Amino acid sequence: MASANTEPHETDYVRIFDTTLRDGEQSPGCTMNVEEKIALARQLERLNVDIIEAGFAVSSPGDFESVTRVAQAVTEPVVLSLSRTREEDVDSALRAVEKAAHPGIHIFIATSDIHLKYKLNMNREDVLDAATWAVTRAKQHLDYIEFSCEDASRTDWDYMVDVCSEVIRAGATIINLPDTTGHAIPEEFGRMFAYMREKVPGADKVIWSAHCHNDLGLAVANSLAAVRNGARQIECTINGIGERAGNCSLEEVVMAMKTRKDLMGIQSRVNTRQIYPSSRLLAQVIGQSVPANKPIVGDNAFAHEAGIHQDGVLKYKLTYEIMKPEDIGIPSNKLVLGKHSGRHAFSNRLKELGIDTDAVDLNKAFGEFKALCDKKKIVYDDDILALVTEEARRTTDHFELVDLKVGSSSKTTPHAEVTMRVEGVERSADSDGDGMVDACYKAIYKIAGINPALERYVVKAITGGTDALGEVSCMIRENGSTVAGQGAHSDIVMASALALVNALNRLKQRRHAVLKPTSDVR
Ligand code: KIV
Ligand code: ZN
């Protein structure tokens, strides 16, 4: 593709299978709407990942639509949908990817005795038949078929040899061995790959893939062990998001292979300069900021605090730095634009930050940028990113915040009056509260007609100073559904209201339900 990868392309390389939009999105609070998934998929294409797992088509109409739209939004990577071994799953996955430039399907079934007995209530023969049947069915329509032995790391190796042999015979082209529960230790996980590659007939005709979860903090180490034993695909997510403790982190595993190429002898084709923009975009979209000490992309990943370290780095960078921040796409100067910057410079900066300018209403975004410049002396990259993602968030909304008035003093009870547009109709409500944000949230709940549990509420100043854009992320839970919302504004109460409205829109999308306002709503 057009992106300038700094490494020469080799024929033998490790394919990067990104599952941020499927396994990543599955974790609580990481739900994304279709537009957000498309924006991320386009960024993943710039990152030059080889495969995008866009969702689990049969699981909901929303997932089906996401896979279909992502399949058409990118042209370089393979786009695939997850599928169980059932007929309706396989057919739905095939339909969802049919318009992709490079379509694929990812069929899985658990193979460990513990899953067979307690989850599937199937015996080994039934599972082998189901796997072979599903791969055979998919092969009638598609060449690119990945098959996964779920819970491979706790499966009897000889039984897994039988399953893999049969699905390869039926047409699977990639065999994935997941450490579904994050239970494996690198040495044994590596041995499992060596054993399977030695024993399975046709092993040399397929690509072996590792999919590791991080329950013991070993997902990256296990993936590298698999590569050392012949795996040529790693399944991972941006920022390591995913079920429970998360999946193997894309940025960590890619940079480990690049930094230690002396030992690994093989690399991915990822355009590493797009790592930082990808990480920031995802953090913005899901409202989960990257921990400061997160390897590669955390704020402190390249910060040297100790005097001895600072002294060393000033004398010679490599005394304490094993990677160059610029190789990850970390801007050396985060101060970017100001009041006098033109539209062209603004649009260029958006592109550098990984934003697809075709998908943004540039006039509107530029207007908001200028308004922000009037409020703030210094506008940073993260301010711009927040501003544009906030704009994208509001475009497909069912609920829209129209007006917010709050009042509080040391002698009066905080009070909020809120007006929202609900499917085009303006509605207002007011409420007292235990603080202005609480009053505002209670008024919004009245309009939306729900009373969810607020499970998380985090305020973060995006950049320094009391005039900084504030970013609020909240997580609400209603009737078993957990959704997160984000909002950014220079006024914290306003940012809080935007975050809640964003969460409500996601809840609405998730439930496809009508939320009815309470009786005191005007
Ligand atoms: O963790 C896992 O086993 C999975 C499979 C569906 C590949 O996510
Ligand atoms: Zn997984």
Side-chain angles (χ1 to χ4, degrees):
M1 66 182 287
S3 55
N5 199 337
T6 46
E7 296 297 331
H9 285 190
E10 312 229 350
T11 46
D12 191 19
Y13 64 96
V14 176
R15 282 127 191 102
I16 295 297
F17 173 119
D18 182 279
T19 183
T20 306
L21 303 181
R22 199 278 298 171
D23 222 349
E25 204 243 1
Q26 239 165 267
S27 58
C30 292
T31 323
M32 300 169 221
N33 66 31
V34 182
E35 303 305 327
E36 290 166 338
K37 284 188 183 174
I38 290 172
L40 270 161
R42 292 200 169 118
Q43 178 56 29
L44 291 171
E45 185 168 40
R46 281 189 281 271
L47 184 61
N48 211 21
V49 303
D50 301 279
I51 301 113
I52 295 177
E53 185 165 47
F56 187 5
V58 82
S59 67
S60 71
D63 246 51
F64 184 87
E65 191 198 343
S66 301
V67 179
T68 315
R69 301 266 311 273
V70 167
Q72 293 171 68
V74 294
T75 53
E76 293 296 326
V78 173
V79 176
L80 40 75
S81 165
L82 186 65
S83 162
R84 287 166 299 190
T85 53
R86 301 175 188 183
E87 187 172 345
E88 69 267 33
D89 280 45
V90 174
D91 292 355
S92 162
L94 292 174
R95 262 187 289 119
V97 297
E98 70 189 0
K99 296 225 170 82
H102 307 287
I105 185 168
H106 176 191
I107 299 170
F108 79 101
I109 190 164
T111 48
S112 65
D113 288 335
I114 190 168
H115 276 230
L116 264 61
K117 182 169 177 196
Y118 296 104
K119 186 182 85 172
L120 297 176
N121 195 19
M122 288 165 86
N123 63 34
R124 287 183 175 191
E125 245 175 70
D126 294 339
V127 165
L128 193 130
D129 288 349
T132 317
W133 179 87
V135 172
T136 308
R137 182 172 182 90
K139 197 69 182 183
Q140 288 159 12
H141 305 273
L142 204 61
D143 254 348
Y144 195 105
I145 299 175
E146 169 167 329
F147 177 81
S148 286
C149 300
E150 191 191 7
D151 205 17
S153 55
R154 294 191 301 166
T155 297
D156 174 69
W157 289 3
D158 288 325
Y159 171 58
M160 203 154 63
V161 167
D162 292 343
V163 175
C164 293
S165 311
E166 285 310 311
V167 295
I168 291 174
R169 217 196 314 268
T173 50
I174 297 108
I175 301 291
N176 182 40
L177 305 180
D179 181 24
T180 305
T181 55
H183 174 259
I185 299 290
E187 200 262 338
E188 77 172 329
F189 197 61
R191 262 194 295 122
M192 180 179 79
F193 274 82
Y195 188 84
M196 298 300 290
R197 289 182 60 239
E198 188 195 325
K199 301 283 178 187
V200 172
D204 55 333
K205 304 276 181 312
V206 296
I207 289 170
W208 291 85
S209 165
H211 174 117
C212 299
H213 282 265
N214 206 26
D215 301 65
L216 294 173
L218 291 171
V220 171
N222 284 331
S223 305
L224 295 176
V227 169
R228 302 266 289 158
N229 285 279
R232 286 296 176 265
Q233 175 173 293
I234 294 176
E235 305 198 352
C236 46
T237 59
I238 304 287
N239 296 343
I241 65 165
E243 286 279 10
R244 309 179 308 277
N247 286 58
C248 172
S249 137
L250 181 148
E251 55 279 5
E252 292 175 27
V253 85
V254 163
M255 289 313 291
M257 286 190 287
K258 183 177 163 85
T259 309
R260 295 309 310 273
K261 56 180 169 234
D262 54 325
L263 195 77
M264 297 299 298
I266 192 159
Q267 293 196 50
S268 74
R269 300 197 304 186
V270 159
N271 176 2
T272 61
R273 286 175 183 267
Q274 290 293 335
I275 285 181
Y276 187 75
S278 308
S279 164
R280 304 313 286 213
L281 182 62
L282 176 69
Q284 285 286 338
V285 163
I286 61 173
Q288 295 197 10
S289 47
V290 178
N293 65 338
K294 166 96 173 62
I296 320 294
V297 288
D299 280 350
N300 292 350
F302 291 91
H304 301 278
E305 191 71 26
I308 294 174
H309 290 207
Q310 286 178 348
D311 180 52
V313 168
L314 286 174
K315 285 177 177 146
Y316 184 53
K317 274 196 172 189
L318 296 190
T319 51
Y320 285 100
E321 273 188 13
I322 57 166
M323 296 168 273
K324 290 193 250 147
E326 56 270 30
D327 283 352
I328 293 142
I330 297 179
S332 50
N333 179 4
K334 287 196 173 188
L335 168 60
V336 278
L337 303 171
K339 223 177 155 104
H340 304 294
S341 308
R343 237 179 92 92
H344 187 63
F346 177 68
S347 136
N348 273 349
R349 194 64 203 152
L350 289 182
K351 284 185 193 136
E352 281 167 22
L353 287 169
I355 300 287
D356 178 1
T357 45
D358 291 340
V360 169
D361 181 341
L362 215 54
N363 283 335
K364 205 162 172 200
F366 186 59
E368 298 209 358
F369 161 71
K370 284 286 181 186
L372 187 64
C373 289
D374 283 339
K375 282 193 215 147
K376 287 192 71 181
K377 285 192 196 77
I378 302 169
V379 176
Y380 294 87
D381 282 353
D382 284 354
D383 289 320
I384 293 179
L385 212 45
L387 192 143
V388 175
T389 36
E390 181 60 52
E391 191 52 48
R393 249 175 235 146
R394 289 187 225 159
T395 49
T396 52
D397 287 351
H398 173 89
F399 296 109
E400 212 185 309
L401 187 66
V402 176
D403 193 26
L404 166 64
K405 265 190 225 117
V406 280
S408 178
S409 77
S410 52
K411 296 206 175 81
T412 59
T413 309
H415 187 78
E417 286 171 45
V418 177
T419 302
M420 275 163 54
R421 203 168 290 120
V422 184
E423 275 188 311
V425 180
E426 278 197 11
R427 298 183 184 283
S428 302
D430 61 336
S431 176
D432 287 345
D434 194 4
M436 289 192 287
V437 173
D438 186 53
C440 158
Y441 272 34
K442 283 180 174 146
I444 293 176
Y445 292 156
K446 282 186 187 175
I447 297 174
I450 61 167
N451 196 10
L454 182 62
E455 299 213 322
R456 193 184 70 199
Y457 172 78
V458 181
V459 183
K460 189 181 148 209
I462 292 177
T463 47
T466 49
D467 61 351
L469 266 191
E471 187 179 55
V472 171
S473 79
C474 67
M475 198 189 279
I476 55 172
R477 183 167 190 77
E478 248 265 310
N479 287 339
S481 289
T482 304
V483 286
Q486 296 78 42
H489 200 275
S490 50
D491 180 307
I492 282 300
V493 186
M494 190 67 185
S496 304
L498 289 170
L500 179 59
V501 170
N502 180 232
L504 291 174
N505 280 313
R506 288 180 180 195
L507 188 65
K508 177 78 178 62
Q509 266 181 350
R510 169 94 59 99
R511 288 216 233 139
H512 294 285
V514 183
L515 303 171
K516 292 208 179 82
T518 57
S519 52
D520 53 345
V521 170
R522 303 178 286 277

